[in-house]
Structure formats: structure tokens, C-alpha cells
Amino acid sequence: MPLSVCYRSLIRWLLATTLVVSQAAMATASTTLGVFAYRDVETVREQFAPVREAMQHALPGNEVRLEVLSLEALDSALETGDIDFILTNPRHFLAVREQHDVSGALATLKKTQGGRHLSSLAGVMLAPADTNINTLDALAGRTIGIPGKRFLGGFLTQAYEIHLQGYDPERFADYQALGSHDAVMQALLNGEVDAGFVRSGILEDWIIGGRLAPGTFKVISPQAVKTPRDFPLAHSTRLYPEWALAAMPHVPMEDIRRVSNTLLHREGVFPTGEHSVSFDPPHDYLSVELAARALGVAPFAAPSQTLWQQLSARFGRAIWIPIVLAVAFVLLLALFVGLYIRKSRLFERFNALFYYSPSAKLLFHGDEQGRFVIGESNYAAVTLFKAQSSDDLRGKDVVDLSPETQPDGQRSADLATEWIARADQTRQRFIWQHQDLQGEPILVEVTLIKFARGSLLGALDQKPTLLVALHDITEQERARLALEEERNALKNILWGTAAGTWEWNVQTGETRFNERWAEMVGYRLDELAPTTIDTWMSLCHPGDLAHSEALLTEHFEGKRDAYDCEVRMRHRDGHWVWVQDRGRVVSRNEAGEPLWVAGTHTDITARKAAEARANASMEQTRKHAALLPGMLYQFWQHPDGRSAFPYASAGIEDLYGISPEDVQTDASPLFDVIVPEDVPAMITSIATSAANLTTWRHTCRINHPDGHQLWVQGISTPERLDDGSTLWHGYLRDVTDEHDTQQQLEQYRESLERSNKELEHFAYAASHDLRQPLRMVTSYAQLLERHLGGLDEDGEMMLHYMRDGAKRMDDMLLSLLDYSRVGRKGQPMQEMPLKDALDEALHFLTPDIEQTHAAITVTGDWPTLHASPDEMTRLFQNLISNALKYRSADNTAVEIIVHSEALTDRQQWQISVTDNGIGIAPDQIERLFKVFQRLHTREQYEGTGVGLAVCRKIVDRHGGQIWVKSEGEGKGSTFTLTLPMTRTTEGEA
């Protein structure tokens, strides 16, 4: 390279470095974590986002960014110093350590997969389950999909196993580099490759994620482990340590120590879906180094050979033949040999520079039609245009590899002719849009050189006259457009929030405002130019300057995380505008002094006016509240957790023993007198009301400063304010007397329940034990009859009355026994279809139904309830049995309708049993549900008068109600009961 060119490059490098350093000094301190994109970017970003959060926690003063990049992009970022920490596979880590003088790994990645914490990885060789590929030997010569040759689990581990089997891994198969593990799995699933190499865990992820059915692929040469707990993932290679986390040499040691301590002292950083990530102390990466050395890959690749070594390797001993001939004929052919050697060297150098250049290069010949067509292309150009070889490009001109028009609208053919005409012998540089052989656009920076006869190509006697160098800037342009999009989005967001922005250089006074800032005070931005800190001070209310300066000083000294102040600004029309001024230091100089401060202005004039109106209304409310018992109040909770009672009536002193002024700016004195055991429930109720904006109701105990304890009940309605805070409007009162009364009622209820249980037990025991004497009376009556022999008519009648009375008493005792068993001997409460209980009752009553020729109709929707199955059956059996029994003698068409419907407004199910029987007189309805209450004589209808009492007890136990309606005697009756839809405590209605 000529000396002037070297100087120009050096000057450009120094200018670029100066620009980068100056921008870095103005930017916010940041730390970048580069992560290898071994899968699609979003999957990897989601997986390692918790690591970024943990590093952010370790470095609170820095903005930690997560960059998910390919290996090539990672290498480029490392070269430019854009990466501070790197998390990558061990093979790449060794290459980075060799090239960038990284001391070693700070930690080794540990993943949770298959229920195990794994800090090892391996390679997996996969093939479709229906193929005959079962061994490594069967893979030879196949088409194998791999994510890339720089992937450890996706190529290096498998290549090492192939190497150990005596094969040359590079020539073993036709490898298709697909860019990621997921791309390999998809290609294998689509049948585009014969087999695939991926890292351990990918197969299980696809199966668990539902993207692959189990058994679709088989693992070639699976490796055995002692137990599945050792390494539960399928693998075809030996195990290697997981990814390494390393810091670049420029990272401060204190930052390295904080990050290392944070990651190593947390059991799992955070869960991420099916996986979680954490870190172990650094493992030994010797196994990876041995595999890399054996395969001769970076950083242990064979060193580049000199020209002589390349020629020796290529021609062997034959290289000495021209040398010997040259020496033999040196005297006769000195001039000829000199020219030949000069020409050969020039050609070889040009050939090496051309074909092996990392940038795409093309040589153009002039054809017979006068067009410039491609004569030669280097390897980088073949890759750039996605060609199989240089033959695919040979003979094509610029128009063949370009769209019809360029981005600026000019025709490609016309513009190409113009640039070639300009070239002559002067180098030309310009931006050009090509398209590859698949039709995809490529944006490149073109360097065009036209050779004259006396130049290099002329000396070589070659025909090409144009040399074109292409530098692919497609990704750079996409990044630039994305950055431009992001900037426009930020502008739109700021516009949408109607916020004014400002930036202030504390050391120089230079200040920058946006147009919205100037609009708030009635100006255009150009009318205030030039803007300095004095511009702001001249518009700020003099009474607010001291407060603003005090808050800024506290922020500069680190006492506040940010600067936040409400100030008044003078509008161009003369009135004052309230703004909320917020900002924070974004950079400091080497002495630690604040350099640049940035922030926003938000117009809060409307909010201030609302606060003034609220204060006036509050004063009026305060006068009214003084006449009320208890306490009217406003409770204000800010987004940062601060709380206060901006208004509290004088009743606060009676309830809490504190004055309204004590809690006007801080609510903690009120919470201090609440009984400590009641505070958590109080805080929870407030949080729930704030989150859902629901009415707050709560009761708690207060330790009054006078020495007594009282119960206080409150109710309030929340309101969300514009700044995100919540304001409750409510009322508090002393409910100590009510609470004491409630306690007494509760004790009375419990006593009543105990008494009822004792009575039930007594009724059960009495009805059970009294049957024994009755059985004796009946038995001895029979014995007496046999002993006396034939009796006269009076004797027979007396014995009949004795037996009949004993039987009636036994029936009554049995009915009383059934009544006492309700809730004690039945099946436990459970979820049951209510229709099943009805069906079972009808089954038991089948003989009675057939005897009376009754027509029973069941209608409506029948629910599933929480009830006792046998008690529900007894309920329906008693009700339907009564309808069958209480009918007139001449009624031969008994009709019974059982109907169920939902009363959604009352959250109840209503069931009715309607008959066309004898009906009930209205004045007798109240007696129906009492024990042993009968409306008819035994000669008219049999019964003990307990059946309906049992029904009522069953319904009461299930939390329902039962009643009867009848239009009178002979007009039938309807028994109606309700049961709750939701589960209730036994006995509650």
C-alpha cells in the first residue's frame, strides 16, 4: 500500500476513534452482554433475559443491554469493543480467549432441563426413524444438516467422534450449514437432509413444545450413562462443559467481581418457561481444547503458510526443477528468466489478493458487443450472489445482477453506463443495489477501478479492464433504518405524551429544548434561541428557584435518585403555568461532577386547579363533618407508597387520639395505634381496593392512647387520579358496642346449637328406648289372648284397643326416630345431581303410584347441588307420598307435577310439587310442618304427623326454605322449597 494511503487510513481511524470516545463520554454508562444466537433470536433473548436482569441488579449504575448475535456478529462486535461480557459455547470461548487476551471463564452456565440442573452439553446425531441409518458409519457420504461449523454441540462434538473413528470430518459427508439448531430440526422434519447434528436438549425441547411427535427421529450411536440422573438428555457424543461467561479485558475488575458474585450466589437466576438458567463456578474446558486441537480448528488451527510452504505442499520436490533449470541457463537466459519471474510473481500476487480477499471482487472484460461482462469473480463474490461457483456469474453484466431501477428511481442500465464513463483512471465510490441469483436485494458499497494499458493488468497482458470491489452494507442499512424508525417512534411517543424535553450541560450552561417545551410557555423554539440555563431561570417563578436548586443539589449529591419539582413558568401572555419538572444525571466528568442532565416538563396546570377546587370543597366538608359522629376523611396513596390523610374531620381525635394535622402529610401515626395483629389485613384490603377500584370496607381494633381499646369500622370509595395515585373518600365510626352485642349473640347462637343437639340426642334415645316396652305390651297382649282362650265381644274389643294403641305409639316413635336422625345418620354432604334423588324416591314409591294410577310429570332444569343424597331422597319421598295419600275417595285421576327452575336473582333453585288432591284450609297451613300435627283423623288418613316436619328439617339443614300454598279444600296444593345454588355452611339460609 502506498505511504499516502497508509497516512489517510491512520487519520480516518484517529478521527473515528475520537468521535466514538466523545460520544461515549456523553452517553449513559452501559454494559453489553453478548450472547451466542444458537437458536432463533427471540427464543435466546427470552431464555437469557433473566441473566440481563441479574447483571442489572449487580450493576445498578449501568444500563445492561442484551445482544443476541451470530458467531460472526459476535466476533465483529468484539473487534470493535462493543461487547463487555460474552456468553458463548466453549469452542468459541477458547477462540475469543486466544484472540482477545481474556483471562478465563468467570462462570459456567447451568440449565434446568429434564428435571435436572445440567452444566454439561453434548452433541446429538439424528436421522428419521424410518431410515436404515443406525450407526456412524452409515452417515458417511450423506447430506447432513448442521447449524454451522463453529457450533460446539452442532458440529465440533460430532466431528470429534468422526475423527476418533478414523475419518476426515471435513470429507466425511456433505454438510449443509443452516444457521441454527431449530433450522436443522425443521430441515430434517421436511426431508431436506438425510441426517442432522444438533446440541443436546433441542430434541427434548421440540417434543415438549409440541413441535415434534415422540419417535419421529432416532438418535444415532446413543451414548450410555450410568443412570438417567447423570445426564437425562439424548446424546451421541461424550459430555463437554456448558457455555462459559467471560469478561473482556477493558471491563473494570469491580464490575467483574459484582457480576460474578451475583450470578454464582443465586440458585437459579429466574425461571424461563420450561427451563431456568443459573451458573456454576468455572469448569475445566480442557476436553473442548483437546477436541479443537485434534480437529485443528480455531484457536488451534494450523498457522497460515508462506508462499514457499504453499508451493512446496502443492508441487513437492518438483519445485526444484525450474530452479535447477534457471541456474543451468542463468548465463544464457538471464534476461528472459528475470522477465518471466517478474511476470509470474505479479500474477500470483494479484491472483492471491483477488481470489482470497474477504470482500467481493469482480473482473470485467469487454465483449464483442461493447458490454462489460464478468470474466472472473472471487470466492466472496460467489457467496455474496449465492452462486454455486464462479461459472454462474461469468458472462453476466451489471444489469443482469441489478434490479431495473435503483432506490433513487434511476434506471440501473443508464446509471451503470454513467459510472463506468466517470471511472476512466480515477477510482469511483458509490452505493449500489444488486440482487443475488435468487432475486434477493443486496445493498453494497462499490469501489470501481478502470485499468489502463500500462497498469498491472496491462503488464500481465490480461484483457479485463475493470476491477469492482463490493462491500455488503445490507445489514448496516437495515440497522440504520431500524435506528431511524426507533428515533421516529420515540419522537411520536414524546409528542403523544405532550411532554417537553430538556438537556442541560451543568458545566457550560448549554441547554437544549424541544418545540413542545417552548409551546408550554407560548413561544416557538426559534424565538428563544440561543437557549441556555438562563432561558429557563428567566421564565421560572422567582419563588420556586430556591426549592428547585435544593432538589437538584440533593440529586447531584446522590441523596435522591432523580430530580422532581413542581414549579411555575411565566407564559408569554403573562399568566403562570404549573409544570412538573423531572430529570436525572445521565453523565459525569472524570472528577465525578454532573455533566449532562436530561429531563421533561409536563403541564400540570389543570391538576393544580383541580387541587385548589378540591381544597375549597374540603373546607366546606370540614364544617359539615364536625357535626357528625365518627370521622369523615380522604385517604391519599401515592404511586411510590407514601400515604396521607389530606382531610380528616375532628372525629379522628375520638377514634385514634390524634389530630388531623398529625396525618395530613404522613398517615403512619394512625397506623401506629392499630392493633399490630390487624395491620396486615388492613394493608391487604387497601391494596385490593386500589387495584380493582372497589369499595373499601374493613373493621379493626384500635389501641387508643387513653388506654382503652375500641373497634372501628370504615367504608370508602376509591378514585384514581391523573398521576396514578388513589384517593379514597370515606367514613369511620366506633362500632365497639355493636361488636360486643354481636359477640353476645354469637355466644347465644352457640349455646342454642348445643341445646338443639342435646334435644336431638334425647329424642333419638327416647324414641329408640321406648319401643322396647311397647313391644312387651304387644307381646303380652297376644299371650293374654291365647291364655284366656275365647273371649266375649267386650274382651276382644279391649284387646284390640290395647294392640292398636301400642302400634300407633310404635309408629309415632319410629317417626320421631326418623325426625331425630336428620343431619345425624344420613349420608355426608357431597356434590350430587338432584334429579337422581327424585328418581330414587319415585322408584321406592312405585307400588303406591301403580295402585293409585297416578300420573307424575317432571319438568324444568335439574341442578347438581352440594347435599346429602339420602336426605334429598327422603324429602321427595315424603312430599310425593303425601300427594298420593291425601286424595279424595272418588278421585281416580291423581296428577302430580314436579318442577325445578333457577332463581338467578336470588342465587337459588326452586322445586315445587303440585297435586290435585284434597287441598288445605288456609287457617290450617301454619300447623302442617310441626311435629305430630295432623289435620285429619286416623280413620280418614293414616299417618303420624311427622313427615312434613322431617321435610322442613331437611330443607333447613341445607340452607333453604319450604312452604305450601292451596286455594282451599278440594282444590289441590303446591309444596315449594328452595335450595341455594352455592355451597353454604350447614343450617345457613
Side-chain angles (χ1 to χ4, degrees):
M1 181 183 291
L3 188 60
S4 59
V5 176
C6 292
Y7 277 122
R8 288 198 298 271
S9 298
L10 179 60
I11 291 171
R12 284 196 298 270
W13 182 83
L14 289 174
L15 289 174
T17 302
T18 303
L19 178 60
V20 170
V21 171
S22 62
Q23 290 178 344
M26 296 170 62
T28 304
S30 64
T31 298
T32 301
L33 169 63
V35 178
F36 167 34
Y38 76 107
R39 300 183 71 174
D40 65 89
V41 173
E42 289 305 318
T43 298
V44 177
R45 185 181 303 280
E46 180 181 356
Q47 182 178 4
F48 292 102
V51 179
R52 186 203 70 78
E53 295 176 8
M55 291 180 61
Q56 184 67 71
H57 178 75
L59 304 173
N62 291 17
E63 178 189 359
V64 178
R65 296 196 297 264
L66 175 63
E67 295 289 343
V68 180
L69 304 170
S70 65
L71 291 175
E72 292 75 14
L74 273 175
D75 289 338
S76 299
L78 290 171
E79 288 292 340
T80 57
D82 294 336
I83 299 295
D84 302 302
F85 290 85
I86 183 170
L87 182 58
T88 186
N89 71 49
R91 180 253 188 224
H92 186 229
F93 161 67
L94 293 176
V96 172
R97 184 179 66 180
E98 182 73 17
Q99 185 175 0
H100 296 280
D101 195 26
V102 178
S103 60
L106 300 179
T108 294
L109 180 66
K110 180 168 64 176
K111 298 181 179 178
T112 297
Q113 195 165 6
R116 295 282 296 163
H117 296 290
L118 304 178
S119 54
S120 299
L121 62 86
V124 186
M125 306 178 191
L126 297 174
D130 57 357
T131 64
N132 59 355
I133 304 175
N134 297 307
T135 63
L136 190 146
D137 294 336
L139 283 175
R142 303 276 188 170
T143 300
I144 302 176
I146 63 173
K149 291 190 175 182
R150 299 181 67 186
F151 285 62
L152 176 63
F155 182 74
L156 181 64
T157 58
Q158 295 91 339
Y160 188 50
E161 299 297 329
I162 294 171
H163 168 75
L164 293 178
Q165 292 295 321
Y167 294 100
D168 180 359
E170 290 294 331
R171 301 179 181 179
F172 178 71
D174 178 18
Y175 301 110
Q176 299 291 323
L178 302 177
S180 70
H181 295 283
D182 292 317
V184 173
M185 295 292 289
Q186 191 62 50
L188 191 57
L189 191 61
N190 295 341
E192 299 171 1
V193 293
D194 299 325
F197 289 173
V198 295
R199 68 164 280 160
S200 57
I202 300 298
L203 175 62
E204 287 79 3
D205 281 352
W206 273 57
I207 292 175
I208 293 172
R211 302 172 67 183
L212 185 70
T216 304
F217 299 151
K218 58 184 174 182
V219 179
I220 302 169
S221 299
Q223 296 289 314
V225 293
K226 295 180 180 179
T227 66
R229 291 179 60 83
D230 294 337
F231 192 73
L233 305 178
H235 58 291
S236 305
T237 73
R238 61 204 65 204
L239 301 181
Y240 297 87
E242 262 288 2
W243 287 13
L245 175 71
M248 302 310 294
H250 65 268
V251 178
M253 185 55 65
E254 178 63 20
D255 290 357
I256 295 175
R257 182 186 64 79
R258 290 181 177 178
V259 171
S260 177
N261 286 344
T262 298
L263 296 182
L264 291 178
H265 287 82
R266 298 180 72 162
E267 178 59 23
V269 177
F270 286 110
T272 57
E274 294 293 332
H275 305 276
S276 65
V277 294
S278 55
F279 289 88
D280 276 344
H283 289 203
D284 184 2
Y285 289 92
L286 179 60
S287 58
V288 181
E289 182 176 337
L290 292 176
R293 287 184 184 276
L295 297 175
V297 298
F300 308 108
S304 58
Q305 296 179 327
T306 63
L307 178 61
W308 173 254
Q309 290 172 329
Q310 294 178 24
L311 292 175
S312 297
R314 182 174 180 181
F315 299 107
R317 295 182 179 180
I319 192 63
W320 292 100
I321 295 176
I323 298 176
V324 172
L325 292 175
V327 172
F329 294 97
V330 66
L331 297 176
L332 298 175
L333 304 174
L335 181 60
F336 173 77
V337 172
L339 292 174
Y340 176 79
I341 292 174
R342 180 172 180 268
K343 183 175 181 180
S344 296
R345 287 180 176 176
L346 285 172
F347 182 77
E348 289 291 343
R349 289 175 182 174
F350 178 81
N351 190 56
L353 289 172
F354 180 78
Y355 286 102
Y356 296 99
S357 172
S359 62
K361 289 184 173 55
L362 301 171
L363 286 176
F364 284 83
H365 297 279
D367 65 1
E368 296 176 355
Q369 288 79 26
R371 299 184 309 155
F372 284 102
V373 297
I374 297 175
E376 294 294 336
S377 57
N378 68 351
Y379 304 126
V382 171
T383 302
L384 177 66
F385 288 99
K386 296 181 181 177
Q388 296 294 326
S389 66
S390 58
D391 293 338
D392 295 338
L393 299 177
R394 191 173 288 113
K396 297 184 180 297
D397 64 5
V398 175
V399 177
D400 295 333
L401 297 174
S402 303
E404 185 176 351
T405 60
Q406 290 297 302
D408 61 359
Q410 298 189 59
R411 293 182 68 252
S412 297
D414 298 339
L415 196 57
T417 303
E418 181 181 341
W419 280 113
I420 293 173
R422 289 181 186 176
D424 198 12
Q425 293 186 8
T426 303
R427 175 182 302 179
Q428 298 294 318
R429 281 193 173 182
F430 52 91
I431 304 299
W432 189 267
Q433 182 172 321
H434 279 293
Q435 61 184 17
D436 60 28
L437 297 185
Q438 298 179 5
E440 296 295 327
I442 309 171
L443 194 66
V444 296
E445 182 181 21
V446 180
T447 300
L448 176 64
I449 302 174
K450 187 174 184 180
F451 291 109
R453 185 65 185 171
S455 63
L456 174 63
L457 291 178
L460 296 176
D461 196 20
Q462 300 296 314
K463 292 182 179 179
T465 57
L466 289 178
L467 173 63
V468 178
L470 307 176
H471 177 57
D472 187 358
I473 60 171
T474 306
E475 292 300 326
Q476 297 177 16
E477 183 64 15
R478 287 176 182 169
R480 186 190 67 79
L481 292 175
L483 182 60
E484 188 67 26
E485 242 179 73
E486 187 176 346
R487 288 175 177 169
N488 291 335
L490 181 58
K491 288 181 180 179
N492 292 336
I493 291 172
L494 287 174
W495 180 86
T497 58
T501 63
W502 53 266
E503 296 173 278
W504 171 33
N505 188 320
V506 181
Q507 304 303 321
T508 65
E510 177 188 355
T511 309
R512 307 167 188 160
F513 304 110
N514 70 347
E515 192 66 43
R516 175 58 186 151
W517 190 96
E519 289 175 0
M520 286 186 186
V521 288
Y523 293 91
R524 295 194 313 273
L525 189 59
D526 56 2
E527 294 178 323
L528 297 174
T531 56
T532 65
I533 190 61
D534 293 335
T535 306
W536 179 82
M537 295 182 69
S538 65
L539 295 172
C540 182
H541 193 287
D544 297 336
L545 288 174
H547 181 52
S548 172
E549 184 178 357
L551 293 177
L552 272 174
T553 302
E554 291 181 6
H555 175 52
F556 291 165
E557 294 175 352
K559 297 178 181 178
R560 291 178 176 269
D561 292 337
Y563 160 74
D564 191 342
C565 184
E566 295 180 356
V567 298
R568 289 162 290 181
M569 303 278 294
R570 187 177 65 253
H571 194 273
R572 186 175 194 171
D573 295 341
H575 64 275
W576 294 99
V577 178
W578 277 98
V579 299
Q580 186 162 20
D581 190 8
R582 293 174 174 168
R584 67 186 310 170
V585 175
V586 296
S587 65
R588 295 178 181 270
N589 59 20
E590 295 179 356
E593 299 172 335
L595 185 60
W596 279 97
V597 183
T600 61
H601 269 187
T602 306
D603 191 339
I604 59 172
T605 306
R607 193 193 83 190
K608 283 293 186 179
E611 288 178 1
R613 291 192 300 270
N615 290 335
S617 176
M618 191 180 301
E619 182 60 31
Q620 186 67 27
T621 303
R622 185 179 291 110
K623 295 177 182 179
H624 293 143
L627 304 176
L628 295 175
M631 162 189 169
L632 289 177
Y633 70 93
Q634 286 182 317
F635 178 67
W636 193 358
Q637 188 175 63
H638 297 272
D640 59 5
R642 292 181 295 112
S643 61
F645 287 85
Y647 169 74
S649 65
I652 192 173
E653 297 187 8
D654 298 329
L655 296 179
Y656 297 97
I658 56 179
S659 66
E661 292 75 17
D662 294 335
V663 292
Q664 192 166 19
T665 59
D666 182 10
S668 57
L670 185 144
F671 285 93
D672 290 341
V673 299
I674 299 175
V675 172
E677 292 81 358
D678 295 353
V679 171
M682 169 74 77
I683 294 175
T684 301
S685 65
I686 294 173
T688 302
S689 175
N692 304 320
L693 289 182
T694 54
T695 301
W696 175 82
R697 290 183 177 88
H698 194 71
T699 304
C700 64
R701 293 169 292 173
I702 304 300
N703 289 327
H704 198 278
D706 291 346
H708 63 279
Q709 188 178 90
L710 64 158
W711 286 84
V712 173
Q713 184 183 71
I715 182 171
S716 62
T717 302
E719 173 189 2
R720 187 84 74 220
L721 301 183
D722 293 340
D723 61 353
S725 62
T726 307
L727 184 67
W728 282 267
H729 311 271
Y731 175 66
L732 290 163
R733 66 190 182 96
D734 184 352
V735 293
T736 306
D737 293 340
E738 297 176 17
H739 183 268
D740 292 343
T741 302
Q742 182 64 30
Q743 289 292 101
Q744 294 174 1
L745 289 174
E746 186 66 23
Q747 292 173 0
Y748 175 73
R749 185 185 67 82
E750 293 176 357
S751 175
L752 192 59
E753 287 181 352
R754 286 195 301 270
S755 177
N756 284 339
K757 290 181 180 178
E758 292 173 357
L759 288 174
E760 288 177 359
H761 180 72
F762 171 76
Y764 173 78
S767 60
H768 182 272
D769 295 342
L770 285 175
R771 293 189 68 205
Q772 179 61 27
L774 283 177
R775 285 194 292 269
M776 291 180 64
V777 171
T778 303
S779 299
Y780 278 101
Q782 293 173 350
L783 292 173
L784 180 61
E785 183 179 12
R786 287 197 298 267
H787 178 72
L788 296 176
L791 297 174
D792 58 14
E793 184 177 349
D794 291 339
E796 288 289 345
M797 184 177 62
M798 286 186 289
L799 284 174
H800 169 73
Y801 284 146
M802 180 186 298
R803 286 195 299 270
D804 183 63
K807 182 177 182 303
R808 288 172 57 193
M809 182 173 288
D810 189 58
D811 290 341
M812 293 177 69
L813 288 174
L814 283 174
S815 297
L816 183 61
L817 189 62
D818 287 342
Y819 182 81
S820 67
R821 283 176 173 171
V822 174
R824 301 177 70 248
K825 297 295 184 178
Q827 290 178 298
M829 295 279 195
Q830 57 190 275
E831 295 297 321
M832 57 160 290
L834 190 60
K835 181 69 162 46
D836 290 354
L838 174 63
D839 292 340
E840 188 171 359
L842 293 175
H843 175 71
F844 290 149
L845 295 171
T846 298
D848 296 337
I849 296 172
E850 292 176 350
Q851 181 181 356
T852 58
H853 304 288
I856 299 179
T857 305
V858 180
T859 62
D861 297 326
W862 288 81
T864 296
L865 295 177
H866 187 76
S868 171
D870 59 353
E871 291 185 359
M872 288 292 106
T873 300
R874 173 63 61 83
L875 173 65
F876 287 120
Q877 189 173 350
N878 287 357
L879 292 175
I880 297 173
S881 176
N882 276 0
L884 293 172
K885 178 166 53 174
Y886 293 103
R887 68 187 189 281
S888 60
D890 58 351
N891 185 1
T892 60
V894 178
E895 295 182 358
I896 301 174
I897 300 174
V898 185
H899 178 71
S900 172
E901 63 177 320
L903 305 179
T904 54
D905 58 331
R906 297 167 57 187
Q907 289 295 297
Q908 290 178 330
W909 286 97
Q910 179 172 290
I911 299 94
S912 61
V913 179
T914 304
D915 61 58
N916 62 345
I918 62 175
I920 305 169
D923 59 344
Q924 299 296 320
I925 287 178
E926 290 298 325
R927 299 175 53 202
L928 278 181
F929 296 102
K930 296 180 180 179
V931 180
F932 299 135
Q933 293 294 312
R934 294 174 46 80
L935 305 184
H936 306 88
T937 65
R938 287 177 54 84
E939 288 75 12
Q940 293 175 301
Y941 297 100
E942 288 290 336
T944 60
V946 178
L948 288 179
V950 171
C951 291
R952 183 168 192 169
K953 188 173 182 182
I954 291 174
V955 173
D956 287 347
R957 178 173 177 256
H958 286 77
Q961 293 178 310
I962 186 169
W963 64 92
V964 62
K965 289 184 179 180
S966 177
E967 295 182 3
E969 296 182 359
K971 296 184 179 180
S973 58
T974 299
F975 285 83
T976 306
L977 62 98
T978 61
L979 295 172
M981 288 184 177
T982 57
R983 179 173 179 175
T984 61
T985 303
E986 182 175 326
E988 289 186 359

